[in-house]
């Protein structure tokens, strides 16, 4: 089975990572490559690492250009996917790497993104309970945000099993590529190098309602989430420390047993050996989530640390993994399980 895939937003970071993965996918033929302001240029001018596609012409993102493909990936800015997707036929698998279709609550979308909600699609995080079942045969998929990917998987087993109370604190350290490729003064090398800075503090980050949605679903009740992102001087990767108060006297062995049961058969989630803590460097270029759990007995809290590559498992890898499930392809096809070092 060969599927023809188009990538809208091919000149951005997410689009480039997606194309890197699709080039290695045994069942994918890469079709149209589109963008907005860079239309009419060659892909190599924007993604010089993608040699096999360097001479390909970037076309303007329109429904007409994207029509006729088996799969269309929309790696577009938030608020831009809904209109394009509405013009594509239901026989085309459309995978949105932006935020347009992640949230179930329309008022949440309007509060956090400021325009009309485009609707809710099946959520592309198969490791969450029931996630794969919702993706099989789907023709529309919403890829999770990069922060909620690592953070939700860090705490979902503990919340679902009742190990912790539904009061969550999450701090995520992220690389600069998560902000996209457009020029921003605070992301200049001279501003970022040698400095770390918090942003979106006090519940102000747009991924907060996505965390709440994911964790409340596995808790079957409301979960409060205090989320703080921290920008670090590295190009890619997210290291998340997530904690919640324990609901009872629970030791480390019992916690590890819960996580082993939840993720033991997951190809892209690795619970590291006891005492080994995740690092972002170990996940660079891979579709893996590295996890470690700890019990802070003096504070009565569970602490979970996760590491992902924000561009791979956190964005493009999650999109390809979801495509594989939706189309009945091997779930791991085209997805690296090993990182790049040093």
């Amino acid at each position: 089975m060969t599927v023809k895939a188009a990538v809208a937003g091919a000149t951005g970071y997410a689009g480039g990572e997606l194309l890197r993965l699709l080039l290695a996918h045994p069942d994918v033929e890469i079709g149209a490559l589109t963008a907005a302001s860079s239309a009419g240029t060659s892909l190599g001018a924007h993604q010089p690492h993608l040699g096999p596609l360097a001479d390909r012409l970037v076309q303007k993102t329109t429904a007409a250009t994207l029509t006729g493909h088996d799969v269309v990936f929309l790696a577009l800015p938030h608020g831009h996917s809904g209109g394009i997707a509405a013009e594509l036929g239901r026989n085309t698998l459309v995978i949105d790497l932006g935020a347009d279709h992640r949230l179930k609550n329309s008022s949440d979308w309007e509060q956090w993104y400021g325009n009309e909600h485009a609707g809710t699609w099946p959520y592309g995080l198969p490791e969450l309970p029931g996630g794969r079942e919702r993706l099989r045969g789907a023709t529309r998929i919403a890829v999770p945000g990069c922060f909620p990917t690592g953070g939700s998987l860090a705490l979902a087993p503990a919340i679902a099993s009742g190990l912790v109370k539904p009061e969550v604190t999450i701090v995520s350290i992220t690389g600069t590529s998560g902000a996209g490729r457009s020029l921003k003064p605070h992301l200049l090398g001279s501003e970022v190098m040698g400095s770390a800075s918090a942003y979106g503090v006090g519940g102000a980050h747009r991924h907060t309602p996505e965390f709440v949605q994911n964790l409340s679903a596995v808790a079957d009740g409301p979960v409060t989430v205090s989320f703080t992102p921290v920008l670090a001087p590295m190009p890619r990767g997210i290291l998340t420390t997530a904690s919640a108060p324990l609901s009872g006297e629970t030791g480390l062995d019992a916690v590890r047993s819960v996580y082993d049961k939840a993720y033991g058969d997951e190809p892209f989630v690795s619970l590291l050996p006891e005492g080994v803590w995740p690092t972002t460097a170990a996940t660079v270029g891979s579709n893996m989530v590295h996890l470690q759990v700890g019990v802070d007995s003096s504070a009565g809290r569970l602490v979970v640390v996760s590491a992902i590559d924000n561009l791979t498992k956190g964005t493009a890898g999650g999109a390809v993994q979801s495509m594989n499930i939706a189309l009945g392809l091997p779930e791991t096809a085209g997805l690296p399980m090993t990182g790049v070092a040093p």
Side-chain angles (χ1 to χ4, degrees), residues 50-121:
L50 301 177
L53 300 172
D55 294 333
R56 293 280 297 274
L57 183 69
V58 178
Q59 302 178 70
K60 191 169 183 61
T61 300
T62 66
T65 302
L66 299 172
T67 295
H69 294 81
D70 301 302
V71 184
V72 172
F73 293 96
L74 301 176
L76 303 174
H78 304 319
H80 288 69
S81 297
I84 291 288
E87 297 184 58
L88 299 174
R90 297 301 300 188
N91 60 335
T92 299
L93 171 57
V94 183
I95 301 179
D96 185 7
L97 282 71
D100 293 29
H101 302 93
R102 295 172 187 162
L103 298 180
K104 296 179 180 179
N105 190 310
S106 295
S107 62
D108 282 345
W109 169 266
E110 291 165 6
Q111 173 188 344
W112 289 90
Y113 292 92
N115 53 17
E116 187 176 352
H117 188 218
T120 305
W121 291 357

Side-chain angles (χ1 to χ4, degrees), residues 267-270 283 286-290 307-309 313 336-338:
F268 296 116
V269 181
S270 175
T283 62
S286 82
N287 200 52
M288 296 300 298
V289 182
H290 286 183
I308 65 170
D309 185 324
K313 179 58 175 170
M337 301 173 109
T338 56

Side-chain angles (χ1 to χ4, degrees), residues 18 55 57 60 80 110 145 161 181 193 196-197 207 268 272 298 334:
L18 184 56
D55 294 333
L57 183 69
K60 191 169 183 61
H80 288 69
E110 291 165 6
S161 65
R181 200 166 195 172
M193 301 302 286
S197 58
H207 284 176
F268 296 116
L272 300 180
S298 62

Side-chain angles (χ1 to χ4, degrees), residues 226-260:
S226 176
F227 171 54
T228 303
V230 177
L231 184 68
M234 58 184 186
R236 54 201 289 170
I238 297 176
L239 187 74
T240 293
T241 301
S243 71
L246 291 163
S247 57
E249 295 284 338
T250 306
L252 183 59
D253 288 346
V255 172
R256 288 189 66 88
S257 177
V258 167
Y259 277 75
D260 272 324

Side-chain angles (χ1 to χ4, degrees), residues 3 14 24 27 43 50 67 69-70 88 96 99-100 103 141 144 146 165 167 170 190 200 212 224 271 318:
V3 297
D27 301 308
L43 186 71
L50 301 177
T67 295
H69 294 81
D70 301 302
L88 299 174
D96 185 7
D100 293 29
L103 298 180
I141 295 173
C146 53
K165 298 176 183 178
E167 304 158 11
I170 298 173
S190 57
V212 171
T224 62
L271 177 63

